[in-house]
Amino acid sequence: MQGQQQQQAYDRGITTFSPDGRLYQVEYAREAVKRGTASIGVRARDGVALLVDKRIRSPLMEQSSVEKLHKADDHVGVASAGHVADARRLIDFARRDAQVNRLRYEEPIGVEALTKDVTDHIQQFTQIGGARPFGVALLIGGLENGEPRLYETDPSGTPYEWKAIAIGSERSDIQAYLEDHYDEDQTIDEAVALALRALASVHDEGLTPKRIAAATVDAESEQYIQLTDDEVEEYLVDADVLADEE
């Protein structure tokens, strides 16, 4: 009984470590990420592809109101998994940071620098009393000096760089598919197709354009471009993962 009371005390205090060195609130934030719909990032030789599962809950919901893909700057895109409201706060922070860098240094911010600024902000909320960690993980992808970069942010405030990564629900299964099929020499079109097949691997019924949002940042234009539903459908057909019409 006493042990349970002690654990509850560690649960309530974000600034208090448990005897085994854990911050329970940060771990609970990671669980919130796992309950969110999946987001996938794939780095290609000529850019970065971002893909999200929007999971529209009702046919009456406006598809465009489900925001899991965001433009942080002309050359940087962000995908989220977890609490959407928390993601919006971090996206606003990232956008301000990118614009401040342009005004101060007259150049676009580096993807690595932007990611570390965001994770520094996230980390502050793991050590402030009266606050809680952000219950969201982000995939930050873009071009830095012409080279594609892809990062994941963790609710603890730790950045990781990846070649291909999945966050959110079914992460382990999607990640296993990416590990088996990733090719470092693939093009950005092939990266989009890989992300679609990876997501379809955990959805036997196939995928629909209304359920998927995708964006690319290619090395040629160095611009964040979100794909239209028609373009997504073309990729679904080419990848042979388009759901059958009922």
mmCIF file of all heavy atoms in Angstrom, residues 65-117:
data_model
loop_
_atom_site.group_PDB
_atom_site.id
_atom_site.type_symbol
_atom_site.label_atom_id
_atom_site.label_comp_id
_atom_site.label_asym_id
_atom_site.label_seq_id
_atom_site.Cartn_x
_atom_site.Cartn_y
_atom_site.Cartn_z
ATOM 1 N N SER A 65 -9.986 19.968 -42.089
ATOM 2 C CA SER A 65 -9.832 20.448 -40.715
ATOM 3 C C SER A 65 -8.948 19.542 -39.870
ATOM 4 O O SER A 65 -8.570 19.908 -38.761
ATOM 5 C CB SER A 65 -11.207 20.593 -40.044
ATOM 6 O OG SER A 65 -11.814 19.319 -39.857
ATOM 7 N N VAL A 66 -8.618 18.345 -40.378
ATOM 8 C CA VAL A 66 -7.738 17.424 -39.653
ATOM 9 C C VAL A 66 -6.305 17.741 -40.063
ATOM 10 O O VAL A 66 -5.860 17.377 -41.149
ATOM 11 C CB VAL A 66 -8.084 15.956 -39.971
ATOM 12 C CG1 VAL A 66 -7.176 15.017 -39.184
ATOM 13 C CG2 VAL A 66 -9.547 15.684 -39.667
ATOM 14 N N GLU A 67 -5.588 18.436 -39.188
ATOM 15 C CA GLU A 67 -4.258 18.938 -39.517
ATOM 16 C C GLU A 67 -3.173 18.124 -38.809
ATOM 17 O O GLU A 67 -2.996 18.237 -37.603
ATOM 18 C CB GLU A 67 -4.133 20.409 -39.118
ATOM 19 C CG GLU A 67 -5.051 21.336 -39.883
ATOM 20 C CD GLU A 67 -4.867 22.776 -39.464
ATOM 21 O OE1 GLU A 67 -5.075 23.073 -38.272
ATOM 22 O OE2 GLU A 67 -4.491 23.597 -40.318
ATOM 23 N N LYS A 68 -2.494 17.318 -39.589
ATOM 24 C CA LYS A 68 -1.350 16.577 -39.058
ATOM 25 C C LYS A 68 -0.072 16.856 -39.838
ATOM 26 O O LYS A 68 1.001 16.433 -39.440
ATOM 27 C CB LYS A 68 -1.640 15.071 -39.062
ATOM 28 C CG LYS A 68 -2.692 14.623 -38.057
ATOM 29 C CD LYS A 68 -2.686 13.124 -37.900
ATOM 30 C CE LYS A 68 -1.360 12.618 -37.384
ATOM 31 N NZ LYS A 68 -1.275 11.166 -37.297
ATOM 32 N N LEU A 69 -0.219 17.549 -40.960
ATOM 33 C CA LEU A 69 0.930 17.974 -41.763
ATOM 34 C C LEU A 69 0.993 19.496 -41.750
ATOM 35 O O LEU A 69 -0.024 20.168 -41.911
ATOM 36 C CB LEU A 69 0.788 17.494 -43.205
ATOM 37 C CG LEU A 69 1.372 16.135 -43.584
ATOM 38 C CD1 LEU A 69 1.131 15.872 -45.057
ATOM 39 C CD2 LEU A 69 2.849 16.055 -43.279
ATOM 40 N N HIS A 70 2.194 20.034 -41.555
ATOM 41 C CA HIS A 70 2.343 21.474 -41.430
ATOM 42 C C HIS A 70 3.592 21.944 -42.172
ATOM 43 O O HIS A 70 4.589 21.227 -42.247
ATOM 44 C CB HIS A 70 2.460 21.897 -39.965
ATOM 45 C CG HIS A 70 1.362 21.383 -39.096
ATOM 46 N ND1 HIS A 70 0.247 22.125 -38.785
ATOM 47 C CD2 HIS A 70 1.216 20.187 -38.460
ATOM 48 C CE1 HIS A 70 -0.540 21.417 -37.995
ATOM 49 N NE2 HIS A 70 0.019 20.242 -37.796
ATOM 50 N N LYS A 71 3.514 23.152 -42.685
ATOM 51 C CA LYS A 71 4.665 23.806 -43.285
ATOM 52 C C LYS A 71 5.303 24.705 -42.239
ATOM 53 O O LYS A 71 4.699 25.668 -41.777
ATOM 54 C CB LYS A 71 4.224 24.626 -44.495
ATOM 55 C CG LYS A 71 5.341 25.397 -45.177
ATOM 56 C CD LYS A 71 4.785 26.172 -46.362
ATOM 57 C CE LYS A 71 5.861 27.001 -47.039
ATOM 58 N NZ LYS A 71 5.313 27.756 -48.196
ATOM 59 N N ALA A 72 6.533 24.387 -41.843
ATOM 60 C CA ALA A 72 7.235 25.201 -40.852
ATOM 61 C C ALA A 72 7.986 26.351 -41.513
ATOM 62 O O ALA A 72 8.097 27.441 -40.953
ATOM 63 C CB ALA A 72 8.197 24.340 -40.039
ATOM 64 N N ASP A 73 8.531 26.102 -42.701
ATOM 65 C CA ASP A 73 9.208 27.119 -43.501
ATOM 66 C C ASP A 73 9.159 26.632 -44.950
ATOM 67 O O ASP A 73 8.711 25.507 -45.216
ATOM 68 C CB ASP A 73 10.652 27.312 -43.031
ATOM 69 C CG ASP A 73 11.230 28.660 -43.454
ATOM 70 O OD1 ASP A 73 10.564 29.366 -44.236
ATOM 71 O OD2 ASP A 73 12.353 29.005 -43.021
ATOM 72 N N ASP A 74 9.632 27.425 -45.883
ATOM 73 C CA ASP A 74 9.558 27.026 -47.287
ATOM 74 C C ASP A 74 10.213 25.678 -47.543
ATOM 75 O O ASP A 74 9.778 24.922 -48.408
ATOM 76 C CB ASP A 74 10.225 28.086 -48.176
ATOM 77 C CG ASP A 74 9.436 29.377 -48.220
ATOM 78 O OD1 ASP A 74 8.228 29.343 -47.903
ATOM 79 O OD2 ASP A 74 10.020 30.416 -48.564
ATOM 80 N N HIS A 75 11.260 25.365 -46.779
ATOM 81 C CA HIS A 75 12.061 24.162 -47.022
ATOM 82 C C HIS A 75 11.906 23.105 -45.944
ATOM 83 O O HIS A 75 12.655 22.125 -45.929
ATOM 84 C CB HIS A 75 13.539 24.556 -47.115
ATOM 85 C CG HIS A 75 14.091 25.101 -45.829
ATOM 86 N ND1 HIS A 75 13.591 26.225 -45.226
ATOM 87 C CD2 HIS A 75 15.084 24.659 -45.021
ATOM 88 C CE1 HIS A 75 14.255 26.467 -44.116
ATOM 89 N NE2 HIS A 75 15.167 25.515 -43.970
ATOM 90 N N VAL A 76 10.942 23.283 -45.043
ATOM 91 C CA VAL A 76 10.785 22.350 -43.921
ATOM 92 C C VAL A 76 9.314 22.010 -43.715
ATOM 93 O O VAL A 76 8.450 22.909 -43.669
ATOM 94 C CB VAL A 76 11.335 22.939 -42.606
ATOM 95 C CG1 VAL A 76 11.186 21.921 -41.464
ATOM 96 C CG2 VAL A 76 12.782 23.349 -42.754
ATOM 97 N N GLY A 77 9.019 20.712 -43.596
ATOM 98 C CA GLY A 77 7.680 20.247 -43.275
ATOM 99 C C GLY A 77 7.691 19.467 -41.969
ATOM 100 O O GLY A 77 8.732 18.933 -41.561
ATOM 101 N N VAL A 78 6.537 19.399 -41.313
ATOM 102 C CA VAL A 78 6.424 18.718 -40.024
ATOM 103 C C VAL A 78 5.178 17.841 -40.026
ATOM 104 O O VAL A 78 4.094 18.283 -40.434
ATOM 105 C CB VAL A 78 6.340 19.728 -38.860
ATOM 106 C CG1 VAL A 78 6.258 18.992 -37.528
ATOM 107 C CG2 VAL A 78 7.524 20.678 -38.867
ATOM 108 N N ALA A 79 5.324 16.600 -39.567
ATOM 109 C CA ALA A 79 4.197 15.691 -39.356
ATOM 110 C C ALA A 79 4.134 15.359 -37.874
ATOM 111 O O ALA A 79 5.161 15.312 -37.199
ATOM 112 C CB ALA A 79 4.373 14.415 -40.182
ATOM 113 N N SER A 80 2.929 15.127 -37.359
ATOM 114 C CA SER A 80 2.771 14.909 -35.926
ATOM 115 C C SER A 80 2.023 13.623 -35.633
ATOM 116 O O SER A 80 1.294 13.095 -36.471
ATOM 117 C CB SER A 80 2.020 16.091 -35.287
ATOM 118 O OG SER A 80 0.676 16.135 -35.748
ATOM 119 N N ALA A 81 2.193 13.130 -34.412
ATOM 120 C CA ALA A 81 1.414 12.011 -33.882
ATOM 121 C C ALA A 81 1.218 12.258 -32.394
ATOM 122 O O ALA A 81 2.166 12.581 -31.679
ATOM 123 C CB ALA A 81 2.130 10.680 -34.104
ATOM 124 N N GLY A 82 -0.021 12.145 -31.940
ATOM 125 C CA GLY A 82 -0.326 12.440 -30.542
ATOM 126 C C GLY A 82 -1.394 13.509 -30.453
ATOM 127 O O GLY A 82 -2.285 13.596 -31.308
ATOM 128 N N HIS A 83 -1.320 14.334 -29.420
ATOM 129 C CA HIS A 83 -2.313 15.395 -29.224
ATOM 130 C C HIS A 83 -2.114 16.494 -30.263
ATOM 131 O O HIS A 83 -1.075 17.161 -30.292
ATOM 132 C CB HIS A 83 -2.192 15.979 -27.817
ATOM 133 C CG HIS A 83 -2.678 15.056 -26.740
ATOM 134 N ND1 HIS A 83 -3.985 14.634 -26.664
ATOM 135 C CD2 HIS A 83 -2.030 14.472 -25.699
ATOM 136 C CE1 HIS A 83 -4.130 13.826 -25.622
ATOM 137 N NE2 HIS A 83 -2.958 13.708 -25.024
ATOM 138 N N VAL A 84 -3.124 16.702 -31.101
ATOM 139 C CA VAL A 84 -3.023 17.687 -32.178
ATOM 140 C C VAL A 84 -2.842 19.098 -31.622
ATOM 141 O O VAL A 84 -2.090 19.908 -32.173
ATOM 142 C CB VAL A 84 -4.264 17.612 -33.088
ATOM 143 C CG1 VAL A 84 -4.234 18.712 -34.144
ATOM 144 C CG2 VAL A 84 -4.352 16.240 -33.751
ATOM 145 N N ALA A 85 -3.528 19.412 -30.521
ATOM 146 C CA ALA A 85 -3.412 20.753 -29.939
ATOM 147 C C ALA A 85 -1.986 21.029 -29.471
ATOM 148 O O ALA A 85 -1.466 22.143 -29.641
ATOM 149 C CB ALA A 85 -4.388 20.907 -28.769
ATOM 150 N N ASP A 86 -1.343 20.034 -28.889
ATOM 151 C CA ASP A 86 0.054 20.190 -28.480
ATOM 152 C C ASP A 86 0.945 20.401 -29.701
ATOM 153 O O ASP A 86 1.881 21.207 -29.686
ATOM 154 C CB ASP A 86 0.521 18.955 -27.707
ATOM 155 C CG ASP A 86 -0.055 18.890 -26.301
ATOM 156 O OD1 ASP A 86 -0.988 19.678 -26.016
ATOM 157 O OD2 ASP A 86 0.403 18.067 -25.504
ATOM 158 N N ALA A 87 0.645 19.667 -30.781
ATOM 159 C CA ALA A 87 1.431 19.814 -32.008
ATOM 160 C C ALA A 87 1.317 21.229 -32.556
ATOM 161 O O ALA A 87 2.308 21.812 -33.011
ATOM 162 C CB ALA A 87 0.953 18.801 -33.056
ATOM 163 N N ARG A 88 0.114 21.808 -32.503
ATOM 164 C CA ARG A 88 -0.076 23.162 -33.028
ATOM 165 C C ARG A 88 0.785 24.166 -32.273
ATOM 166 O O ARG A 88 1.350 25.095 -32.869
ATOM 167 C CB ARG A 88 -1.552 23.553 -32.946
ATOM 168 C CG ARG A 88 -2.428 22.815 -33.945
ATOM 169 C CD ARG A 88 -3.901 23.143 -33.714
ATOM 170 N NE ARG A 88 -4.140 24.583 -33.902
ATOM 171 C CZ ARG A 88 -4.438 25.119 -35.074
ATOM 172 N NH1 ARG A 88 -4.506 24.375 -36.155
ATOM 173 N NH2 ARG A 88 -4.671 26.417 -35.172
ATOM 174 N N ARG A 89 0.901 24.011 -30.960
ATOM 175 C CA ARG A 89 1.745 24.912 -30.181
ATOM 176 C C ARG A 89 3.203 24.807 -30.607
ATOM 177 O O ARG A 89 3.910 25.815 -30.738
ATOM 178 C CB ARG A 89 1.622 24.604 -28.681
ATOM 179 C CG ARG A 89 0.330 25.056 -28.040
ATOM 180 C CD ARG A 89 0.197 26.573 -28.031
ATOM 181 N NE ARG A 89 1.309 27.210 -27.339
ATOM 182 C CZ ARG A 89 1.340 27.444 -26.023
ATOM 183 N NH1 ARG A 89 0.302 27.079 -25.267
ATOM 184 N NH2 ARG A 89 2.370 28.040 -25.463
ATOM 185 N N LEU A 90 3.668 23.589 -30.825
ATOM 186 C CA LEU A 90 5.056 23.393 -31.228
ATOM 187 C C LEU A 90 5.300 23.863 -32.657
ATOM 188 O O LEU A 90 6.379 24.391 -32.964
ATOM 189 C CB LEU A 90 5.438 21.919 -31.074
ATOM 190 C CG LEU A 90 5.489 21.392 -29.638
ATOM 191 C CD1 LEU A 90 5.817 19.899 -29.627
ATOM 192 C CD2 LEU A 90 6.512 22.159 -28.805
ATOM 193 N N ILE A 91 4.317 23.697 -33.531
ATOM 194 C CA ILE A 91 4.440 24.185 -34.904
ATOM 195 C C ILE A 91 4.550 25.704 -34.911
ATOM 196 O O ILE A 91 5.374 26.287 -35.629
ATOM 197 C CB ILE A 91 3.244 23.736 -35.764
ATOM 198 C CG1 ILE A 91 3.204 22.214 -35.890
ATOM 199 C CG2 ILE A 91 3.313 24.377 -37.149
ATOM 200 C CD1 ILE A 91 4.417 21.599 -36.528
ATOM 201 N N ASP A 92 3.732 26.369 -34.099
ATOM 202 C CA ASP A 92 3.812 27.835 -34.004
ATOM 203 C C ASP A 92 5.192 28.267 -33.524
ATOM 204 O O ASP A 92 5.764 29.240 -34.027
ATOM 205 C CB ASP A 92 2.739 28.368 -33.060
ATOM 206 C CG ASP A 92 1.343 28.301 -33.655
ATOM 207 O OD1 ASP A 92 1.240 28.133 -34.886
ATOM 208 O OD2 ASP A 92 0.360 28.412 -32.899
ATOM 209 N N PHE A 93 5.730 27.535 -32.544
ATOM 210 C CA PHE A 93 7.072 27.837 -32.050
ATOM 211 C C PHE A 93 8.102 27.664 -33.164
ATOM 212 O O PHE A 93 8.988 28.511 -33.349
ATOM 213 C CB PHE A 93 7.412 26.930 -30.866
ATOM 214 C CG PHE A 93 8.810 27.109 -30.349
ATOM 215 C CD1 PHE A 93 9.098 28.055 -29.371
ATOM 216 C CD2 PHE A 93 9.870 26.341 -30.848
ATOM 217 C CE1 PHE A 93 10.391 28.233 -28.895
ATOM 218 C CE2 PHE A 93 11.157 26.514 -30.385
ATOM 219 C CZ PHE A 93 11.420 27.463 -29.405
ATOM 220 N N ALA A 94 7.991 26.573 -33.922
ATOM 221 C CA ALA A 94 8.947 26.301 -35.001
ATOM 222 C C ALA A 94 8.866 27.367 -36.088
ATOM 223 O O ALA A 94 9.892 27.802 -36.621
ATOM 224 C CB ALA A 94 8.687 24.911 -35.590
ATOM 225 N N ARG A 95 7.661 27.795 -36.422
ATOM 226 C CA ARG A 95 7.506 28.816 -37.458
ATOM 227 C C ARG A 95 8.119 30.147 -37.020
ATOM 228 O O ARG A 95 8.791 30.822 -37.808
ATOM 229 C CB ARG A 95 6.024 29.001 -37.777
ATOM 230 C CG ARG A 95 5.437 27.845 -38.592
ATOM 231 C CD ARG A 95 3.936 27.950 -38.689
ATOM 232 N NE ARG A 95 3.397 26.926 -39.597
ATOM 233 C CZ ARG A 95 2.104 26.606 -39.669
ATOM 234 N NH1 ARG A 95 1.226 27.227 -38.902
ATOM 235 N NH2 ARG A 95 1.704 25.676 -40.511
ATOM 236 N N ARG A 96 7.881 30.531 -35.771
ATOM 237 C CA ARG A 96 8.481 31.780 -35.275
ATOM 238 C C ARG A 96 9.997 31.683 -35.277
ATOM 239 O O ARG A 96 10.695 32.625 -35.661
ATOM 240 C CB ARG A 96 7.970 32.086 -33.870
ATOM 241 C CG ARG A 96 6.533 32.566 -33.815
ATOM 242 C CD ARG A 96 6.219 33.187 -32.462
ATOM 243 N NE ARG A 96 6.428 32.247 -31.375
ATOM 244 C CZ ARG A 96 5.495 31.427 -30.914
ATOM 245 N NH1 ARG A 96 4.273 31.432 -31.461
ATOM 246 N NH2 ARG A 96 5.739 30.602 -29.918
ATOM 247 N N ASP A 97 10.509 30.534 -34.861
ATOM 248 C CA ASP A 97 11.951 30.336 -34.808
ATOM 249 C C ASP A 97 12.565 30.442 -36.207
ATOM 250 O O ASP A 97 13.623 31.057 -36.401
ATOM 251 C CB ASP A 97 12.251 28.968 -34.195
ATOM 252 C CG ASP A 97 13.712 28.802 -33.827
ATOM 253 O OD1 ASP A 97 14.277 29.707 -33.187
ATOM 254 O OD2 ASP A 97 14.294 27.762 -34.185
ATOM 255 N N ALA A 98 11.890 29.859 -37.196
ATOM 256 C CA ALA A 98 12.384 29.904 -38.579
ATOM 257 C C ALA A 98 12.378 31.333 -39.112
ATOM 258 O O ALA A 98 13.319 31.756 -39.800
ATOM 259 C CB ALA A 98 11.530 28.999 -39.466
ATOM 260 N N GLN A 99 11.336 32.081 -38.797
ATOM 261 C CA GLN A 99 11.256 33.453 -39.289
ATOM 262 C C GLN A 99 12.263 34.371 -38.591
ATOM 263 O O GLN A 99 12.842 35.263 -39.220
ATOM 264 C CB GLN A 99 9.831 33.993 -39.106
ATOM 265 C CG GLN A 99 8.806 33.316 -39.982
ATOM 266 C CD GLN A 99 9.189 33.344 -41.447
ATOM 267 O OE1 GLN A 99 9.471 34.409 -41.994
ATOM 268 N NE2 GLN A 99 9.210 32.184 -42.089
ATOM 269 N N VAL A 100 12.472 34.162 -37.308
ATOM 270 C CA VAL A 100 13.481 34.943 -36.587
ATOM 271 C C VAL A 100 14.857 34.709 -37.197
ATOM 272 O O VAL A 100 15.659 35.644 -37.370
ATOM 273 C CB VAL A 100 13.484 34.575 -35.087
ATOM 274 C CG1 VAL A 100 14.733 35.118 -34.393
ATOM 275 C CG2 VAL A 100 12.239 35.127 -34.403
ATOM 276 N N ASN A 101 15.146 33.464 -37.551
ATOM 277 C CA ASN A 101 16.437 33.153 -38.164
ATOM 278 C C ASN A 101 16.597 33.873 -39.503
ATOM 279 O O ASN A 101 17.677 34.390 -39.824
ATOM 280 C CB ASN A 101 16.567 31.641 -38.353
ATOM 281 C CG ASN A 101 17.972 31.212 -38.730
ATOM 282 O OD1 ASN A 101 18.810 30.960 -37.873
ATOM 283 N ND2 ASN A 101 18.256 31.122 -40.031
ATOM 284 N N ARG A 102 15.526 33.906 -40.306
ATOM 285 C CA ARG A 102 15.589 34.604 -41.594
ATOM 286 C C ARG A 102 15.820 36.099 -41.402
ATOM 287 O O ARG A 102 16.605 36.725 -42.136
ATOM 288 C CB ARG A 102 14.297 34.375 -42.378
ATOM 289 C CG ARG A 102 14.207 33.011 -43.041
ATOM 290 C CD ARG A 102 12.951 32.905 -43.890
ATOM 291 N NE ARG A 102 12.843 31.597 -44.543
ATOM 292 C CZ ARG A 102 13.377 31.298 -45.723
ATOM 293 N NH1 ARG A 102 14.067 32.223 -46.380
ATOM 294 N NH2 ARG A 102 13.232 30.101 -46.245
ATOM 295 N N LEU A 103 15.148 36.696 -40.431
ATOM 296 C CA LEU A 103 15.305 38.134 -40.196
ATOM 297 C C LEU A 103 16.674 38.464 -39.624
ATOM 298 O O LEU A 103 17.286 39.481 -39.968
ATOM 299 C CB LEU A 103 14.207 38.616 -39.242
ATOM 300 C CG LEU A 103 12.789 38.658 -39.812
ATOM 301 C CD1 LEU A 103 11.777 38.936 -38.706
ATOM 302 C CD2 LEU A 103 12.680 39.706 -40.913
ATOM 303 N N ARG A 104 17.156 37.596 -38.741
ATOM 304 C CA ARG A 104 18.423 37.888 -38.055
ATOM 305 C C ARG A 104 19.634 37.598 -38.917
ATOM 306 O O ARG A 104 20.600 38.369 -38.935
ATOM 307 C CB ARG A 104 18.482 37.071 -36.759
ATOM 308 C CG ARG A 104 19.719 37.316 -35.912
ATOM 309 C CD ARG A 104 19.606 36.568 -34.596
ATOM 310 N NE ARG A 104 18.501 37.080 -33.789
ATOM 311 C CZ ARG A 104 18.011 36.445 -32.725
ATOM 312 N NH1 ARG A 104 18.501 35.265 -32.363
ATOM 313 N NH2 ARG A 104 17.024 36.977 -32.033
ATOM 314 N N TYR A 105 19.606 36.477 -39.647
ATOM 315 C CA TYR A 105 20.786 36.044 -40.401
ATOM 316 C C TYR A 105 20.598 36.102 -41.911
ATOM 317 O O TYR A 105 21.529 35.788 -42.659
ATOM 318 C CB TYR A 105 21.165 34.616 -39.987
ATOM 319 C CG TYR A 105 21.444 34.477 -38.514
ATOM 320 C CD1 TYR A 105 20.577 33.762 -37.689
ATOM 321 C CD2 TYR A 105 22.565 35.070 -37.931
ATOM 322 C CE1 TYR A 105 20.821 33.628 -36.325
ATOM 323 C CE2 TYR A 105 22.814 34.947 -36.572
ATOM 324 C CZ TYR A 105 21.934 34.229 -35.779
ATOM 325 O OH TYR A 105 22.177 34.111 -34.427
ATOM 326 N N GLU A 106 19.384 36.451 -42.359
ATOM 327 C CA GLU A 106 19.075 36.549 -43.789
ATOM 328 C C GLU A 106 19.364 35.246 -44.528
ATOM 329 O O GLU A 106 19.896 35.245 -45.640
ATOM 330 C CB GLU A 106 19.854 37.709 -44.434
ATOM 331 C CG GLU A 106 19.482 39.069 -43.866
ATOM 332 C CD GLU A 106 20.177 40.206 -44.573
ATOM 333 O OE1 GLU A 106 21.062 39.928 -45.419
ATOM 334 O OE2 GLU A 106 19.848 41.363 -44.292
ATOM 335 N N GLU A 107 19.028 34.139 -43.901
ATOM 336 C CA GLU A 107 19.165 32.824 -44.519
ATOM 337 C C GLU A 107 18.177 31.858 -43.862
ATOM 338 O O GLU A 107 17.776 32.062 -42.703
ATOM 339 C CB GLU A 107 20.592 32.287 -44.371
ATOM 340 C CG GLU A 107 21.014 32.049 -42.933
ATOM 341 C CD GLU A 107 22.442 31.527 -42.833
ATOM 342 O OE1 GLU A 107 23.180 31.613 -43.835
ATOM 343 O OE2 GLU A 107 22.805 31.018 -41.763
ATOM 344 N N PRO A 108 17.771 30.813 -44.577
ATOM 345 C CA PRO A 108 16.839 29.842 -43.980
ATOM 346 C C PRO A 108 17.508 29.065 -42.858
ATOM 347 O O PRO A 108 18.707 28.782 -42.897
ATOM 348 C CB PRO A 108 16.468 28.931 -45.156
ATOM 349 C CG PRO A 108 17.593 29.089 -46.131
ATOM 350 C CD PRO A 108 18.076 30.503 -45.984
ATOM 351 N N ILE A 109 16.715 28.710 -41.867
ATOM 352 C CA ILE A 109 17.243 27.977 -40.727
ATOM 353 C C ILE A 109 17.565 26.539 -41.134
ATOM 354 O O ILE A 109 16.898 25.946 -41.982
ATOM 355 C CB ILE A 109 16.226 27.990 -39.562
ATOM 356 C CG1 ILE A 109 16.871 27.492 -38.260
ATOM 357 C CG2 ILE A 109 14.985 27.168 -39.896
ATOM 358 C CD1 ILE A 109 16.015 27.728 -37.038
ATOM 359 N N GLY A 110 18.614 25.972 -40.554
ATOM 360 C CA GLY A 110 18.949 24.575 -40.801
ATOM 361 C C GLY A 110 17.945 23.648 -40.145
ATOM 362 O O GLY A 110 17.388 23.965 -39.084
ATOM 363 N N VAL A 111 17.711 22.502 -40.751
ATOM 364 C CA VAL A 111 16.746 21.547 -40.200
ATOM 365 C C VAL A 111 17.208 21.053 -38.834
ATOM 366 O O VAL A 111 16.409 20.932 -37.892
ATOM 367 C CB VAL A 111 16.551 20.360 -41.165
ATOM 368 C CG1 VAL A 111 15.520 19.386 -40.600
ATOM 369 C CG2 VAL A 111 16.126 20.840 -42.531
ATOM 370 N N GLU A 112 18.501 20.793 -38.695
ATOM 371 C CA GLU A 112 19.026 20.333 -37.403
ATOM 372 C C GLU A 112 18.877 21.412 -36.342
ATOM 373 O O GLU A 112 18.446 21.131 -35.214
ATOM 374 C CB GLU A 112 20.505 19.935 -37.539
ATOM 375 C CG GLU A 112 21.113 19.426 -36.240
ATOM 376 C CD GLU A 112 22.565 19.009 -36.400
ATOM 377 O OE1 GLU A 112 23.130 19.197 -37.499
ATOM 378 O OE2 GLU A 112 23.140 18.481 -35.429
ATOM 379 N N ALA A 113 19.206 22.651 -36.676
ATOM 380 C CA ALA A 113 19.096 23.737 -35.708
ATOM 381 C C ALA A 113 17.648 23.950 -35.285
ATOM 382 O O ALA A 113 17.354 24.155 -34.100
ATOM 383 C CB ALA A 113 19.669 25.021 -36.299
ATOM 384 N N LEU A 114 16.732 23.896 -36.244
ATOM 385 C CA LEU A 114 15.314 24.062 -35.932
ATOM 386 C C LEU A 114 14.832 22.947 -35.014
ATOM 387 O O LEU A 114 14.121 23.195 -34.028
ATOM 388 C CB LEU A 114 14.492 24.064 -37.221
ATOM 389 C CG LEU A 114 12.972 24.168 -37.051
ATOM 390 C CD1 LEU A 114 12.587 25.477 -36.382
ATOM 391 C CD2 LEU A 114 12.267 24.031 -38.403
ATOM 392 N N THR A 115 15.227 21.709 -35.323
ATOM 393 C CA THR A 115 14.818 20.575 -34.496
ATOM 394 C C THR A 115 15.324 20.723 -33.071
ATOM 395 O O THR A 115 14.577 20.493 -32.100
ATOM 396 C CB THR A 115 15.335 19.260 -35.093
ATOM 397 O OG1 THR A 115 14.847 19.113 -36.423
ATOM 398 C CG2 THR A 115 14.893 18.069 -34.258
ATOM 399 N N LYS A 116 16.559 21.120 -32.913
ATOM 400 C CA LYS A 116 17.116 21.238 -31.567
ATOM 401 C C LYS A 116 16.496 22.398 -30.793
ATOM 402 O O LYS A 116 16.333 22.321 -29.570
ATOM 403 C CB LYS A 116 18.639 21.384 -31.647
ATOM 404 C CG LYS A 116 19.316 20.088 -32.073
ATOM 405 C CD LYS A 116 20.834 20.161 -32.032
ATOM 406 C CE LYS A 116 21.442 18.812 -32.372
ATOM 407 N NZ LYS A 116 22.929 18.844 -32.370
ATOM 408 N N ASP A 117 16.123 23.471 -31.494
ATOM 409 C CA ASP A 117 15.408 24.550 -30.819
ATOM 410 C C ASP A 117 14.050 24.065 -30.320
ATOM 411 O O ASP A 117 13.629 24.397 -29.204
ATOM 412 C CB ASP A 117 15.216 25.740 -31.767
ATOM 413 C CG ASP A 117 16.506 26.505 -32.009
ATOM 414 O OD1 ASP A 117 17.476 26.289 -31.252
ATOM 415 O OD2 ASP A 117 16.552 27.311 -32.962
#
